[in-house]
Amino acid sequence: MRWKREIIDDYYFHILSFLLFSIVATAGFLVANYIIFTIGVIGITYFFMHNWYFKHIGNKLYFDNQKKNIRLLVDEEGYLRLSFRNEGVAILGATIRLTLKDVIRPTKMSADQYVSGTIEVPVPFSLLGK
């Protein structure tokens, strides 16, 4: 099974917010308004913590592939159990996209079907660290 980490984030929004908070912090420092300066520093700190989190999220996430054959007849239902181990930072509000052959159809989840004979199932995913 292949594992591919994909992070979708708006790069330009974060650069613009960093510049905005830098200007606010500089202006607050120059006019000696410590409340505005503190707001700017908090914004810059948020920017760096956000970038650190997205750089390290999912780096130590392991999929424990327990090979088990599941045999079903037509119109029977079964369960697919996936086991993950996270030794890194917590993963919150993520989505796992499972790509399956079209012989398997999820019954209780929405799925996108492609011409290539595959089905992609988005599954919400959150996992605490360590």
Side-chain angles (χ1 to χ4, degrees):
M1 182 168 285
R2 288 181 289 166
W3 175 257
K4 180 183 173 189
R5 185 179 91 144
E6 180 179 321
I7 296 176
I8 300 172
D9 198 18
D10 191 3
Y11 177 73
Y12 295 110
F13 173 75
H14 292 292
I15 294 297
L16 289 175
S17 64
F18 175 72
L19 289 174
L20 173 71
F21 284 118
S22 297
I23 291 170
V24 167
T26 304
F29 181 74
L30 292 176
V31 298
N33 188 337
Y34 297 110
I35 295 173
I36 294 175
F37 176 73
T38 304
I39 291 171
V41 169
I42 289 171
I44 292 170
T45 304
Y46 170 78
F47 172 79
F48 283 112
M49 293 300 293
H50 180 80
N51 284 342
W52 179 87
Y53 178 74
F54 275 109
K55 184 178 178 183
H56 291 90
I57 188 171
N59 283 344
K60 294 183 180 179
L61 178 67
Y62 300 105
F63 173 64
D64 296 330
N65 191 6
Q66 301 167 353
K67 294 185 179 187
K68 180 180 176 185
N69 291 333
I70 303 171
R71 298 179 190 269
L72 300 172
L73 298 174
V74 177
D75 294 332
E76 278 189 331
E77 291 186 11
Y79 294 96
L80 181 61
R81 184 176 295 263
L82 303 175
S83 178
F84 293 93
R85 183 175 32 114
N86 187 13
E87 296 178 0
V89 296
I91 300 172
L92 304 172
T95 301
I96 290 181
R97 292 186 321 221
L98 297 174
T99 305
L100 310 166
K101 295 286 184 184
D102 62 355
V103 295
I104 300 172
R105 294 203 185 271
T107 56
K108 298 178 183 174
M109 304 179 94
S110 63
D112 298 327
Q113 187 168 2
Y114 298 103
V115 179
S116 63
T118 59
I119 293 176
E120 188 172 276
V121 182
V123 179
F125 184 75
S126 292
L127 190 62
L128 296 177
K130 308 280 183 192

